[in-house]
Amino acid sequence: MIILSNSVKQEVIQFLVVCFSLFGLSYLAGYPFIGLSIGLAVYLIRTLYHLSLIRNWLDKPTEEPPEARGVWGEIYDGIYHLRRREKEETFRLKATIDYLHDSFSSLPDGVVMLNKRGHIEWSNKSTEKLLGLQYPNDQNQVLVNLIRDPLFTTYLGKEEFGEHLQITSPVSDYLTLQIRITFFGKRDK
């Protein structure tokens, strides 16, 4: 069962009053459906006007919503509050991501975040010294195209990473690296 808000009820009542009033007046003049047609046309034009206002406002996210009463005012206010909450949530999530990146950046160990396809999404500064990666230049690159070690390629292709892998650093033959992979999120590594 659909429960109508007071503003929707008022909108329906206004629509019916206008249509029936125009129908009644045109009925007395001998053309009953002309008044009803005019009432429907006026309502359609008003609806298209508000849809145009919404469309234009959505293209300008920093502006305040258009002023309106009744159901259209509630629609504008509802969209405005949704957008404001989304903006606040985006800001909060970005702050969290920045905090985590800062935390990972300060680690002496190299940290590389890969998506499901093995493309680099992020890496910390230590990976430059240890693996020769250069973030953000290497962002979206396939990691195995940059670290060309057959043992590493095989290890990365596995689905279980219970044990670590030791390889020689691609930057220095005198440096041995211990690689450990874990999943997070939606099977990102």
Side-chain angles (χ1 to χ4, degrees):
M1 182 173 156
I2 298 174
I3 299 173
L4 301 177
S5 70
N6 287 336
S7 61
V8 172
K9 289 177 189 174
Q10 287 176 335
E11 186 80 13
V12 170
I13 290 169
Q14 287 174 0
F15 171 72
L16 292 174
V17 166
V18 168
C19 284
F20 283 122
S21 297
L22 289 172
F23 175 77
L25 289 173
S26 61
Y27 180 79
L28 293 174
Y31 303 101
F33 292 104
I34 289 180
L36 184 59
S37 298
I38 291 171
L40 290 172
V42 167
Y43 187 77
L44 177 63
I45 290 169
R46 181 174 172 257
T47 300
L48 292 174
Y49 168 75
H50 281 289
L51 289 175
S52 174
L53 286 178
I54 288 176
R55 178 71 253 150
N56 291 335
W57 174 53
L58 290 175
D59 288 338
K60 301 170 188 160
T62 58
E63 290 187 8
E64 293 290 317
E67 288 293 323
R69 293 188 320 236
V71 71
W72 286 107
E74 286 183 9
I75 290 170
Y76 294 143
D77 289 346
I79 293 171
Y80 175 75
H81 291 296
L82 285 173
R83 288 172 89 182
R84 194 171 78 207
R85 276 194 301 257
E86 178 189 16
K87 186 177 180 181
E88 290 168 357
E89 184 68 17
T90 300
F91 179 78
R92 193 176 63 75
L93 289 173
K94 184 175 178 351
T96 301
I97 289 169
D98 290 346
Y99 173 78
L100 290 173
H101 281 179
D102 289 345
S103 298
F104 290 142
S105 291
S106 66
L107 292 174
D109 297 335
V111 177
V112 180
M113 293 183 184
L114 305 176
N115 63 19
K116 289 181 240 185
R117 299 180 319 263
H119 293 92
I120 298 171
E121 291 195 351
W122 181 84
S123 65
N124 67 355
K125 283 281 186 203
S126 297
T127 59
E128 192 169 328
K129 293 182 290 188
L130 300 171
L131 297 170
L133 300 180
Q134 297 176 351
Y135 184 82
N137 295 341
D138 291 335
Q139 188 174 18
N140 296 319
Q141 297 293 321
V142 179
L143 182 61
V144 295
N145 290 346
L146 301 174
I147 302 174
R148 298 180 178 274
D149 183 308
L151 290 174
F152 178 74
T153 302
T154 302
Y155 180 70
L156 189 62
K158 293 176 13 179
E159 288 298 314
E160 292 186 26
F161 303 104
E163 296 185 22
H164 63 272
L165 170 72
Q166 285 193 347
I167 62 169
T168 302
S169 169
V171 176
S172 169
D173 291 337
Y174 301 106
L175 189 59
T176 301
L177 302 177
Q178 183 175 334
I179 308 290
R180 174 90 178 179
I181 297 177
T182 59
F183 287 109
F184 68 96
K186 297 178 180 174
R187 301 295 286 174
D188 292 338
K189 301 173 186 169

